[in-house]
Amino acid sequence: MSDLKVREQLEFRIKIPSITLGIFSFSLILVSLVNVSNIQHTQKNLIAPPPLVEHMTFGYGEAIADLLWIRALQDFDYCDQQVGENVCRNNSWLYQMLNATTNLSPHFRIPYAAGALALTVIITDIDGATKIFDKGVKAFPNDWPILYRAAYHYMYEVKDNKRAAELLIQAGKNGAPPWVFTLAGRLYSDAGNLELAESVLQDMIKTEQDPVLIKRLRDKIESMKLAANR
């Protein structure tokens, strides 16, 4: 037998354990995602990925992340436990799916951009959405659509105007429409930070050539000063 043929056989034998482990990993994930029918309540129960799934991929993390994302898309509106009208429990099934997906593939953009928005808008898992948005902002600090959507979440759901304003400014510096600076200034004013609001809006005046918009921004600053002095 030639040395080349012997080497090929040895390489194939070395690959067998890796392939076997990969198949086992895929099987484990698939089993964990099986829909269990509840005949009495006619409601499906979806099983989330096992904890620390990223340590059970055996080199197939990206592929399993794709699998989890496709599975999550099939039930974007699924809430495993409602705690109020149109409000799902924190750290819901969808959050766990998205969290596992982004742990396996930290720079997989769409789960942050669309998945986190589904958490906050569709099923209202506030805590889960906050965690996924925060991960997305960290992974994509220059992606203004993600930053803008995160700002929406902090402004309307978390009621944290200061954080929302910070995200709007970051979005504006990375390509978002210029009016996000005006909105950020208003949010800072609502939070009582008039000085920073004025700084943001003055910066817009310096860089904006449209005289109509400049006037509107100046009027906005004046109205905030009057409101602060009342």
Side-chain angles (χ1 to χ4, degrees):
M1 186 179 293
S2 67
D3 291 342
L4 178 60
K5 193 169 184 179
V6 171
R7 190 181 306 115
E8 289 176 349
Q9 289 181 350
L10 287 173
E11 290 176 353
F12 179 73
R13 289 175 183 174
I14 291 171
K15 291 178 181 178
I16 287 177
S18 177
I19 295 171
T20 303
L21 288 173
I23 293 172
F24 171 77
S25 175
F26 274 113
S27 300
L28 180 64
I29 300 301
L30 286 171
V31 169
S32 73
L33 301 178
V34 170
N35 291 357
V36 180
S37 298
N38 187 330
I39 299 175
Q40 292 182 344
H41 298 88
T42 64
Q43 181 180 2
K44 60 187 175 183
N45 295 315
L46 304 184
I47 302 175
L52 303 177
V53 64
E54 61 269 22
H55 300 299
M56 297 184 287
T57 62
F58 305 105
Y60 293 89
E62 296 290 336
I64 295 176
D66 290 339
L67 174 67
L68 292 177
W69 171 244
I70 292 170
R71 182 64 191 87
L73 283 174
Q74 297 171 2
D75 285 285
F76 243 27
D77 59 348
Y78 174 72
C79 174
D80 44 340
Q81 182 182 340
Q82 283 195 339
V83 296
E85 186 176 358
N86 299 322
V87 178
C88 196
R89 73 177 179 93
N90 289 333
N91 304 316
S92 59
W93 173 85
L94 180 58
Y95 161 74
Q96 293 178 64
M97 293 289 287
L98 296 173
N99 189 51
T101 300
T102 52
N103 283 342
L104 290 167
S105 182
H107 293 283
F108 189 2
R109 180 184 180 276
I110 193 66
Y112 301 117
L117 199 62
L119 283 170
T120 187
V121 173
I122 300 178
I123 67 171
T124 319
D125 174 357
I126 306 303
D127 189 58
T130 301
K131 291 176 181 177
I132 298 299
F133 269 128
D134 286 349
K135 287 177 71 175
V137 169
K138 184 177 180 180
F140 295 93
N142 301 318
D143 190 315
W144 78 259
I146 290 178
L147 296 167
Y148 181 76
R149 293 172 189 183
Y152 158 84
H153 172 70
Y154 271 97
M155 181 165 48
Y156 287 104
E157 302 293 353
V158 182
K159 310 300 182 186
D160 185 344
N161 283 0
K162 185 175 184 298
R163 179 57 177 154
E166 291 170 354
L167 289 165
L168 285 172
I169 292 171
Q170 190 175 345
K173 291 179 178 179
N174 286 282
W179 54 260
V180 299
F181 289 104
T182 304
L183 178 56
R186 182 165 61 82
L187 288 173
Y188 275 124
S189 178
D190 292 343
N193 197 338
L194 178 61
E195 181 178 354
L196 186 52
E198 184 173 2
S199 175
V200 170
L201 296 179
Q202 288 287 5
D203 183 65
M204 282 296 299
I205 288 174
K206 293 176 183 178
T207 58
E208 182 53 58
Q209 302 300 317
D210 186 346
V212 176
L213 183 54
I214 289 176
K215 183 178 185 304
R216 289 175 60 188
L217 293 174
R218 284 177 173 160
D219 291 344
K220 182 65 178 178
I221 291 173
E222 291 303 317
S223 66
M224 285 191 290
K225 287 181 178 178
L226 290 174
N229 292 328
R230 287 176 185 173

